[in-house]
Amino acid sequence: MTQLANSCSLPKSTAYRLLEQLTALEVVQRSENRYRVGAQAFRLGQSWQPYPRLLELARGELRRLAAATRASSVLAVPCDGRILIAAASLTRAEDGVLLRPGSTVPQRTGRFCPLWQAEHELVAVEASVRLPTGRTVGSIATVLTLPQSSVTMSDTVARAARTLGAALAD
């Protein structure tokens, strides 16, 4: 609790009172004087959608894309000046550190930041997911390690993004 109070610039008594209120609402769970995410917060988090049915439809498309490309595939949506990984089908265990759902990565003009890609020795082959109206709701990306060629992946990723966009319109 001390760490939480300090990081929020709150007195310990205020942090304690707020945590007790959140515990009563099941947003926070207390176990042996430690606090963690509660059942209600988990349920709320699971119901979050960047666009209606997007996550549900994207998961299947990401699995197909990962199988076709033999590379990790993600659904990325803009969030507070960064890119939020909303869903993923990961083929390499080490990709889970950077690309797990809920993580954010730097962006540049709505795309994975080239400096971030270079720093992690990755290449993100991206395609926007667009509704029939033309509105962009996110992007699908296949994330490759540097020695892999990204040239042949562009069409496959673009096809997956178009398929997802069309499914959202139904």
Side-chain angles (χ1 to χ4, degrees):
M1 182 169 29
T2 301
Q3 183 181 10
L4 178 64
N6 289 340
S7 67
C8 295
S9 300
L10 293 172
K12 274 190 191 179
S13 59
T14 302
Y16 176 79
R17 183 178 46 80
L18 291 171
L19 283 170
E20 288 302 307
Q21 290 173 353
L22 291 170
T23 300
L25 296 170
E26 296 183 350
V27 174
V28 171
Q29 182 180 26
R30 183 177 54 201
S31 175
E32 299 177 15
N33 293 328
R34 296 191 64 91
Y35 294 89
R36 62 177 172 232
V37 172
Q40 187 64 13
F42 177 78
R43 283 190 288 277
L44 286 170
Q46 294 298 303
S47 65
W48 177 83
Q49 290 277 335
Y51 185 84
R53 297 182 42 231
L54 179 60
L55 293 178
E56 164 196 344
L57 295 169
R59 288 183 181 113
E61 200 57 46
L62 291 173
R63 280 191 299 276
R64 285 187 285 281
L65 182 59
T69 61
R70 295 189 192 123
S72 294
S73 298
V74 299
L75 171 68
V77 295
C79 179
D80 296 330
R82 293 178 64 85
I83 293 174
L84 171 71
I85 305 300
S89 182
L90 305 176
T91 59
R92 298 177 336 131
E94 55 269 31
D95 289 343
V97 174
L98 295 172
L99 302 172
R100 75 182 182 290
S103 62
T104 59
V105 298
Q107 58 107 5
R108 184 167 179 205
T109 62
R111 301 273 194 199
F112 283 80
C113 178
L115 293 174
W116 179 86
Q117 292 180 61
E119 177 184 334
H120 296 287
E121 298 181 345
L122 298 172
V123 174
V125 180
E126 301 176 71
S128 296
V129 176
R130 289 191 174 88
L131 301 174
T133 62
R135 177 176 168 219
T136 299
V137 294
S139 65
I140 284 186
T142 292
V143 182
L144 310 165
T145 55
L146 277 180
Q148 293 176 288
S149 171
S150 62
V151 175
T152 58
M153 301 285 179
S154 294
D155 289 340
T156 305
V157 174
R159 193 174 318 111
R162 284 192 305 274
T163 300
L164 180 56
L168 287 170
D170 292 339

